[in-house]
Amino acid sequence: MASVARFRSVVVDCPEPAELARFYAQVGGGTPDEQDPDWVVLQVPGGPRLSFQRAPGLTPPEWPRSDRNAQQFHLDFDGGATWAEMDAAHERVLALGARPLDLEDREKKGFMVYADPAGHPFCLCRIERA
């Protein structure tokens, strides 16, 4: 079936677009285009285009709730193929300002959940490579 349109980007509402774009540039790579302080674009190398839109007074989601102020999306990042790589990625995202949300049973689940500096959930996933 032919598509109607081509995927363009994921848009993230946040109070400080440039700040959050810089956070995700350090996590996933790329350089934010900060020409407009209310709309900042980050092209992740080999990945999607992320756009950050100013939303004053944004209330972050209450992860993992779904009954009130639920998450509207989350981003998954490849944190590495080994637990040593995952541990290194964990330390790096914490140093960048991420906050842990769920680190329980990581070996069983294969991922760890964090909040970015604006409070949006994202995951570091263990990706086994062949």
Side-chain angles (χ1 to χ4, degrees):
M1 173 187 264
S3 64
V4 172
R6 191 169 50 102
F7 177 76
R8 179 173 169 84
S9 59
V10 173
V11 179
V12 180
D13 289 346
C14 59
E16 297 296 333
E19 181 181 310
L20 197 57
R22 284 187 227 115
F23 171 82
Y24 279 110
Q26 292 178 311
V27 173
T31 303
D33 177 349
E34 299 182 34
Q35 294 178 41
D36 180 347
D38 293 326
W39 180 267
V40 177
V41 176
L42 172 65
Q43 179 61 56
V44 177
R49 174 180 139 142
L50 298 176
S51 298
F52 302 88
Q53 172 177 268
R54 185 172 307 280
L58 175 79
T59 301
E62 296 178 44
W63 191 90
R65 295 184 72 131
S66 62
D67 61 337
R68 180 186 72 194
N69 198 29
Q71 68 174 330
Q72 296 176 5
F73 73 95
H74 75 267
L75 303 173
D76 285 345
F77 289 90
D78 179 349
T82 67
W83 287 110
E85 291 173 324
M86 289 285 287
D87 290 340
H90 166 82
E91 293 302 325
R92 291 189 64 201
V93 298
L94 293 180
L96 294 172
R99 179 174 47 88
L101 294 177
D102 183 358
L103 308 179
E104 301 295 319
D105 299 324
R106 68 183 200 154
E107 285 86 3
K108 182 178 177 182
K109 293 187 285 190
F111 62 88
M112 297 180 287
V113 185
Y114 303 85
D116 68 24
H120 300 293
F122 74 95
C123 296
L124 290 177
C125 303
R126 182 170 174 257
I127 307 297
E128 293 186 32
R129 295 178 181 91

